[in-house]
Amino acid sequence: MDGGPRVPEQRCAGSVAMAGTGAIAESKSQALRFSVLGPVRAWRGESALNTGSPQQRALLAALLLREGRTATAAELIDALWGTEPPSQALAALRTYASRLRKVLDPDVLVSESGGYAVRGLREGALDLAAAQELATRAEKARGGNDLGRARELLRDALDLWDGEPLAGVPGPYAEAQRARLEEWRLGLLEARLDMDLEQGCHAEAVSELTALTAAHPLRERLRELLMLALYRGGRQAEALAVYADTRRLLAEELGVDPRPGLSELQQRILQADPALAEPSAPAAEPAAAVVRPAQLPASVPDFTGRATFVTELSEVLSSASETEGRVMAVSALAGIGGVGKTTLAVHVAHRARPAFPDGQLYVDLQGAGPRPAEPETVLGSFLRALGTADSAIPDSLEERAALYRSILDGRRVLVLLDNAKDAAQVRPLLPGTEGCAALVTSRVRMLDLAGAHLVDLDVMAPDEALALFTRIVGEERVAAEREAALDVVAACGFLPLAIRIAASRLAARRTWTVSVLAAKLADGRRRLDELQAGDLAVKATFDLGYGQLEPAQARAFRLLGLADGPDVSLAAAAAVLDLPAEQTEDLLESLVDTSLLESAAPGRYRFHDLVRLYARACAEREERPPSERAAALSRLLDFYLATTAGVYAIERPGDRLVDHLEPAGVPALVFPDRRAAQDWLYSEAVPLLACVRQSSSGPTLRRAVDLLWAAVDLAESGANFKEYEAAGAALRDAAHSARDGRAEGRAFLVLANARHWSGQFAQADEEARQALALSEAADDPLPRCWAANILGAFSFYQSRYAEAEEYLERAIREFRACGDLSGAAAALCNLSRLHLQTERADSAVHLARQGTEMYEELGHSLKAANGHYALGLALGASGRLDDAAAHLDQALPVFRAGRQRLWEGMTLFRLAELDLLAQRPAQAAAYAEMALTPLGEIGGEWRRGNVLTVLGKALDGIGHTGRAQVCWREALDIYERLASPEAAEVRALLAPVSAA
């Protein structure tokens, strides 16, 4: 960043003013602000000032850029008019100065030694001065290895630009300054982009760098950064193509070869240099301040015993931070549930905190549950804890793991991975660099975790178990009944969890003696004969805790354990228990106090995995009548169905789906606005889908299918697509087995929609046909309408235009017959697409406009965005490119706010197509690059092939022919795998290259 323009030093207000006038001058000029990083403008407070004619603004700019020094009349004349000034130049100069003095106050623009100067401005009054200050601070932050702060400061500096510097200002001086300021801006941009790549934000940088290299094709540093960003994003062929394009361009335009740095980068890419895969410098957090996570759970104050293990593990951890060049230390603790793995690991981790000053990360991997945590999800939370912005977190597991390791490189961080399923779950979460360490707990011995220090944790020794019991219950009570206390810890199988639960219950019952507790444990009905045998030992301690619950607490414990979801919200729990929310909360909090339930977050609760199994066993054994278990789960399903239907109605006013769903016997939650409703749906996605799968039989089947249909946003957004699709398949199979044609038809419809969004068109087409046939047989009108609409879309995709038109016109008729104007609007928009393809542009515009107006009359903002999308396509095909872009621009923020990733990506893709038609290839390339990100998550390979084709055309248009060919080859590979007709167009695009 060295070599930037010098900035006026306007920081000594009034220093040259006459005595007695300094305070007045400072007061008058205090609110003045000026800009030169765009049009030359002035403000007093928030009021814009009239700075006059272009020559008058040229005078103001020349004075502002003189750093507060006096400029002579001759210098100013030369600045304004160059070597050929008008005959009355001096008089004109004085006139301009006089006018400016009246606008700015006499004491700001001063006459001195036959010239002029601007004086007395407050600090930061000039945007250029503010930008220079931010750039200087950014350079210092980067020198201190605080890349996150440096990036933020540079972004702030660059945000001060408002178009071309000194815009509209004439004269040779302004022209020279304009070029200098633009060069400085590009230097700041390159510095910021360089830091973006150092922090692993290569995916986001590609779009911006593509546009910049198009605007500045001979700037080799931008080309170098683009090559690196592409390579780190797994696009090696495109990176090499950038070099080939650059070499050709430099030879044609300048007759020179690329500079050595660019050529060296090409060679390193060809050799797959491992050093290129990671940032070249230690990656600090991209946050405003250094983030040092401290996520360790609290250590229990009564930790007892385990001295040998504590010493052993502490030595292993300390070796990671003290031994130079040692790879990170990994210790894996294994043992049965309840043996105290987590307690020991947390205790050791707290002792080791001073050796890991850069932070401690913690996660419960839920390895003993039915759905262990996905490594990519855990990495996302770790990256956020380390200060990485959501927008900078890549999508794939490999990219997240690479960024995670890069951020931890050079830092001393301890990672505690609790309750792991196996080594495969753990490996991506290991830091991988010296100075860091990982502690892992699991029920299995991780023999296949290379290099790990394995520790097998057994039950406590009798003296340790008695000491733990004593610390919780109290020395006085135990001393009086030592033998009974030994009987208690022996009955607990010396398992720490069992001892802790038993002792806590006794400590809370001051009227009990230790002998009473021992007698209860001696009762065969309260514990198993073989307490020391694995999970049975834990069950015995749970029996003890459960036996002390009040009847209402015990019922809540049993019924809540029936649900399959990883956790449960307070509102959902109230539905399960059929109690008011306040009473439910009291019960749940009392269960938290007994350690039989955990508070995952405010308003959310979860069981330890073993406690959940125990609770279910209790429910199966004790719940009377047995139908109450089914009733509890039915109420949970009703709660989700009613509330999800309410969310659907808020998102899609006028849509009749909610009128065709199975009735729910539980009232829905009420939301203050659309955003709150949407937040609820996404926060409840995992337990909701678990409830769907759990309800896929018997009398709850139809409601489960309807719940999945109403929760359509979970699939259309791409957020929970795989789980949604799996639930749909399970419901389809269950409905078929139950011979329930209505439920099966709706399940097929749900699946057809899901396959559509993922680009599985052939499979979706078949499922839509099944949905149509079944809904006709069951006389189920709304699914029949939607099935016809979907079949029309699929027929269109597969170029069966006559069939598509027949289906879509049928859908419009039947939607209107059902009174579903929202569905009719959707079919009209689809029919518009068909008319476009069959060269009926005018009617396509009419149909799309009709559909959009229907959506807007219904107040349906989300689906109105789909209407604007269709209208944008129709207008674009009619040659009205600006109108088309306006409608797509109107749709894009709605899709983003609604978390509709598929439609966000498709809208960006269509904007790229419009820019290509408008001969704006650089902007088209930027939109296409942005479209690749959401369409990489949902949309399927066919849509990705379409985006790559357009991206290739845009790149070719800005001279990046090598990258264009790489994109086309990838698109051709996709089309050929799918046997898509679009392959012919791509072959034609590649044909000139093959011929050459």
Side-chain angles (χ1 to χ4, degrees), residues 634-961:
S634 178
R635 289 191 295 270
L636 178 63
L637 176 62
D638 278 350
F639 164 75
Y640 279 132
L641 177 57
T643 305
T644 304
V647 174
Y648 187 97
I650 292 172
E651 289 272 17
R652 297 167 172 81
D655 193 310
R656 293 292 306 280
L657 170 64
V658 294
D659 300 326
H660 291 259
L661 300 176
E662 287 287 304
V666 172
L669 292 179
V670 178
F671 301 103
D673 51 43
R674 176 173 171 265
R675 183 72 183 182
Q678 194 178 72
D679 288 343
W680 176 87
L681 180 64
Y682 285 100
S683 67
E684 289 289 329
V686 176
L688 184 152
L689 292 173
C691 178
V692 167
R693 297 198 65 163
Q694 192 173 11
S695 306
S696 60
S697 62
T700 58
L701 171 60
R702 288 192 172 189
R703 280 176 288 156
V705 173
D706 284 357
L707 171 56
L708 197 62
W709 191 4
V712 62
D713 282 344
L714 296 180
E716 193 168 356
S717 68
N720 301 86
F721 174 77
K722 291 182 180 178
E723 297 87 346
Y724 186 96
E725 185 180 37
L731 291 174
R732 175 202 60 200
D733 295 343
H736 183 74
S737 298
R739 300 180 182 278
D740 187 335
R742 179 178 181 277
E744 188 179 4
R746 293 188 175 202
F748 267 116
L749 180 65
V750 164
L751 271 178
N753 262 322
R755 314 281 198 208
H756 171 211
W757 296 317
S758 66
Q760 303 172 63
F761 297 134
Q763 193 171 357
D765 183 80
E766 176 57 31
E767 285 164 339
R769 292 179 189 279
Q770 294 276 8
L772 182 59
L774 287 162
S775 60
E776 286 175 337
D779 193 22
D780 197 4
L782 193 62
R784 188 170 64 234
C785 300
W786 279 109
N789 184 52
I790 294 170
L791 281 168
F794 294 154
S795 300
F796 166 72
Y797 292 147
Q798 296 168 10
S799 303
R800 304 194 307 266
Y801 299 135
E803 183 180 346
E805 189 154 6
E806 181 181 342
Y807 276 126
L808 291 172
E809 288 179 346
R810 171 183 174 178
I812 293 168
R813 289 194 305 272
E814 296 196 5
F815 273 127
R816 284 175 168 157
C818 287
D820 193 331
L821 297 183
S822 176
L828 283 167
C829 290
N830 283 336
L831 187 58
S832 168
R833 297 276 307 281
L834 175 63
H835 279 221
L836 268 186
Q837 192 65 29
T838 52
E839 300 181 353
R840 291 175 281 176
D842 290 342
S843 61
V845 171
H846 173 72
L847 289 166
R849 199 180 299 280
Q850 188 180 354
T852 305
E853 289 171 355
M854 289 172 67
Y855 279 137
E856 290 177 338
E857 286 172 6
L858 293 168
H860 199 329
S861 61
L862 181 60
K863 281 300 177 184
N866 287 102
H868 286 292
Y869 173 88
L871 187 51
L873 296 188
L875 290 168
S878 301
R880 298 162 60 182
L881 303 186
D882 291 340
D883 290 341
H887 283 280
L888 292 175
D889 285 335
Q890 191 171 343
L892 185 59
V894 179
F895 288 139
R896 283 175 170 160
R899 308 181 202 186
Q900 299 297 304
R901 297 284 281 165
L902 171 65
W903 290 110
E904 176 190 348
M906 290 303 299
T907 305
L908 289 166
F909 166 60
R910 298 304 183 182
L911 285 167
E913 288 187 316
L914 287 180
D915 278 322
L916 268 184
L917 290 172
Q919 303 299 310
R920 295 189 293 264
Q923 185 60 44
Y927 276 129
E929 282 283 0
M930 287 189 282
L932 281 175
T933 299
L935 294 181
E937 301 169 4
I938 186 171
E941 286 290 277
W942 179 73
R943 291 188 177 97
R944 178 175 171 79
N946 293 344
V947 178
L948 286 167
T949 303
V950 167
L951 177 58
K953 292 177 181 178
L955 292 170
D956 191 52
I958 58 176
H960 294 198
T961 54

Side-chain angles (χ1 to χ4, degrees), residues 316-337:
V316 173
L317 295 183
S318 64
S319 70
S321 61
E322 296 173 359
T323 306
E324 186 69 20
R326 188 192 194 281
V327 296
M328 59 92 190
V330 180
S331 290
L333 286 73
I336 63 171

Side-chain angles (χ1 to χ4, degrees), residues 318-399:
S318 64
S319 70
S321 61
E322 296 173 359
T323 306
E324 186 69 20
R326 188 192 194 281
V327 296
M328 59 92 190
V330 180
S331 290
L333 286 73
I336 63 171
V339 79
K341 301 181 294 295
T342 298
T343 301
L344 173 60
V346 169
H347 179 77
V348 171
H350 275 284
R351 279 174 53 107
R353 283 184 65 184
F356 300 94
D358 294 318
Q360 306 84 40
L361 296 167
Y362 171 85
V363 65
D364 178 3
L365 294 173
Q366 303 177 38
R371 294 178 180 84
E374 294 293 339
E376 53 262 51
T377 303
V378 175
L379 285 169
S381 66
F382 277 0
L383 289 169
R384 292 184 190 94
L386 290 164
T388 307
D390 280 349
S391 61
I393 297 176
D395 295 321
S396 72
L397 171 61
E398 293 76 15
E399 287 180 313

